[in-house]
Amino acid sequence: MKASERILKLKPSPTMAVTAKAGQLKAQGFDVIGFGSGEPDFDTPQHIKDAAIRAIEEGKTKYTPAGGLPELKRAISDKFRRDNNLNYELSQITVNCGAKHSIYNIIQSLINDGDEVIIPAPYWVSYPAMVELAGGIPVIINADMDTDFKITPQMIKENITRRTKAIIFNSPSNPTGAGYTRKEMEAIGEILEGTDITIISDDIYESIVYDGFEFVNFANISETLKRQTLTVNGVSKAYAMTGWRIGYVAGDEAFIKKLETFQSQSTSNPTSISQWASIEALTGDQTVVGKMVEAFDRRRKLIISGLNDIPGMTCYNPVGTFYAFPDITEIYKFSGWKKICDKYDDEFNSSILATYLLEEARSAVVPGIGFGNDKYFRMSFATSDENIIEGLKRIKEAVEKLV
Ligand SMILES: *Cc1c(COP(=O)(O)O)cnc(C)c1O
């Protein structure tokens, strides 16, 4: 059977590849510590589960409107007002099967063949793939640790052409953990304001922030920018609900209607039970979020100081998310490096190191090349303190063998 050209060009997600390889080793009886997966290790809070059980028992198990329940849209609208000081009418909100699906729907409904989409790198793995799948061209702007992984207004200006249709913004960022301040957003906003460029704002890590970082969306900066912005968010990361698959978009009413048409001809509504659970997540006890963030913050300090203590590694201190993204280029200069390059024979250095750490340190990390930069790898610290301590110890020993 011959697959379409469209799908033949599509690469599998590299985060999934590492998870699969780690799974194989585990199946062989090795105790592998997983730093690959991008999800909270906490269980979904009980009151949210209870709401789902109630929905099942009350027979709320049928189709809902394709774009989501009005009750959920109301809860989302209230959330925007409460947490973000943003007013969105119910007609400006639509619900999808996870924030990833929200972004997919947006790109399919926005991009024509040859349209350019600006993507700051290191980027979340799926952005360029989704743009290419829609016939668009990802225009990657690279930022490194020396600028805190942030791009400047000037860099955006230099990359805008007649074909620029959108820019994807993710602050705090997966994989770097960097976040833009209000001032930085205002400066970038000046370049984008009043243009035909749509801002796709992926706010999924909005509530997972540290050291008093203030989360800001372009929609907060001006009314014009708000009209240009599609705000994407979801319940996966904040409420430990990755498996429930609920995300949402807010923005221009006419475009939201198009998104609902697209969804009505593809998946139809997101799971009714998950929608009822999400209403409880957004309107119920919000202290559960703070408790998880407190634990992430403790682990952040543990992992960042541990990584900085490993020869050849320098790690940026993330302002949000649950990812550490160390610079590993000094390791590529170690005397033992060539030997493992010969052994693992891979095009990319970060993949070589990840494979080495998986076999030698039985620790699964994600190579930076999947995020568009071979100088780093990503470790999720959404895992127990014990795992972090043990994993760092093993990684340190493995790297010291290369010095
Ligand atoms: C996890 C993640 C998402 C998607 O989350 P869903 O589970 O699909 O809601 C979107 N963007 C980024 C950057 C993520 O890390």
Side-chain angles (χ1 to χ4, degrees):
M1 201 179 295
K2 183 133 172 55
S4 70
E5 281 165 31
R6 204 168 50 241
I7 203 70
L8 289 173
K9 277 191 279 187
L10 199 63
K11 289 188 284 291
S13 154
T15 40
M16 306 268 183
V18 174
T19 312
K21 215 185 248 175
Q24 279 172 8
L25 280 175
K26 267 187 199 160
Q28 291 166 20
F30 294 101
D31 79 303
V32 176
I33 303 179
F35 295 102
S37 137
E39 62 180 348
D41 57 323
F42 298 106
D43 200 4
T44 304
Q46 190 58 45
H47 66 284
I48 299 172
K49 290 188 192 173
D50 289 341
I53 293 164
R54 233 173 12 251
I56 293 173
E57 284 172 351
E58 288 170 6
K60 292 170 173 167
T61 52
K62 304 291 173 63
Y63 291 134
T64 74
L69 291 160
E71 290 90 338
L72 178 52
K73 290 186 180 184
R74 166 55 57 203
I76 293 166
S77 174
D78 290 346
K79 179 260 175 230
F80 276 122
R81 204 166 300 114
R82 176 189 71 205
D83 297 349
N84 309 102
N85 196 25
L86 290 172
N87 285 313
Y88 285 112
E89 302 298 323
L90 302 206
S91 56
Q92 294 181 282
I93 293 168
T94 186
V95 184
N96 319 104
C97 312
K100 190 181 216 169
H101 187 227
S102 304
I103 300 166
Y104 180 81
N105 285 359
I106 289 171
I107 290 172
Q108 285 293 325
S109 308
L110 190 68
I111 300 304
N112 285 310
D113 280 339
D115 281 351
E116 293 175 359
V117 179
I118 294 176
I119 303 175
Y123 45 70
W124 188 46
V125 290
S126 298
Y127 298 147
M130 286 183 189
V131 169
E132 282 170 358
L133 202 49
I137 301 164
V139 175
I140 309 294
I141 307 182
N142 279 300
D144 269 298
M145 203 166 76
D146 56 355
T147 57
D148 287 353
F149 296 112
K150 290 186 259 195
I151 59 166
T152 61
Q154 186 58 27
M155 287 160 110
I156 296 178
K157 209 167 168 181
E158 284 162 7
N159 281 279
I160 291 175
T161 72
R162 271 184 306 117
R163 306 240 48 177
T164 307
K165 189 70 193 276
I167 178 167
I168 305 181
F169 220 77
N170 178 218
S171 167
S173 149
N174 175 3
T176 66
Y180 288 78
T181 63
R182 180 181 285 269
K183 227 169 146 194
E184 289 164 340
M185 307 268 296
E186 281 169 355
I188 290 172
E190 263 179 49
I191 305 291
L192 300 172
E193 188 161 24
T195 65
D196 294 330
I197 301 169
T198 296
I199 302 164
I200 303 168
S201 181
D202 180 349
D203 297 356
I204 197 87
Y205 293 101
E206 164 198 28
S207 54
I208 304 174
V209 293
Y210 313 108
D211 300 334
F213 175 79
E214 183 210 6
F215 168 81
V216 185
N217 177 306
F218 282 105
N220 294 116
I221 309 247
S222 77
E223 269 308 308
T224 310
L225 283 168
K226 186 177 175 219
R227 278 194 295 275
Q228 283 173 249
T229 300
L230 294 167
T231 297
V232 176
N233 211 327
V235 295
S236 285
K237 305 289 158 66
Y239 302 100
M241 291 177 72
T242 44
W244 299 73
R245 313 308 307 131
I246 296 290
Y248 50 87
V249 189
D252 176 75
E253 182 175 338
F255 189 77
I256 291 291
K257 207 169 264 159
K258 299 288 181 228
L259 288 177
E260 299 206 332
T261 305
F262 183 73
Q263 184 154 289
S264 74
Q265 297 288 22
S266 45
T267 57
S268 294
N269 64 274
T271 309
S272 62
I273 301 151
S274 296
Q275 289 190 63
W276 286 105
S278 299
I279 293 172
E280 176 59 28
L282 292 170
T283 61
D285 178 14
Q286 298 299 304
T287 61
V288 292
V289 184
K291 279 183 201 137
M292 288 192 260
V293 173
E294 216 171 275
F296 290 144
D297 194 15
R298 190 182 62 241
R299 297 163 180 181
R300 173 182 70 126
K301 289 173 180 139
L302 200 57
I303 200 165
I304 302 304
S305 74
L307 286 170
N308 280 323
D309 202 32
I310 294 172
M313 285 195 201
T314 320
C315 196
Y316 171 74
N317 189 27
V319 301
T321 77
F322 36 68
Y323 306 109
F325 202 60
D327 180 324
I328 49 178
T329 44
E330 289 302 312
I331 295 176
Y332 304 160
K333 298 175 191 161
F334 287 169
S335 59
W337 180 250
K338 188 164 176 321
K339 214 166 60 212
I340 67 163
C341 286
D342 293 341
K343 182 168 177 201
Y344 296 114
D345 184 37
D346 191 295
E347 191 183 343
F348 298 107
N349 285 332
S350 59
S351 302
I352 291 170
L353 187 60
T355 308
Y356 173 71
L357 293 180
L358 190 54
E359 293 195 354
E360 189 65 30
R362 297 177 319 284
S363 298
V365 304
V366 187
I369 189 65
F371 309 101
N373 198 323
D374 203 29
K375 294 187 256 181
Y376 308 86
F377 66 64
R378 190 192 77 175
M379 279 176 91
S380 162
F381 51 87
T383 184
S384 69
D385 298 41
E386 296 74 45
N387 277 348
I388 292 172
I389 292 165
E390 175 63 20
L392 285 170
K393 184 172 145 260
R394 293 184 190 179
I395 292 172
K396 189 172 185 195
E397 282 166 10
V399 172
E400 278 168 349
K401 285 184 193 163
L402 301 176
V403 176

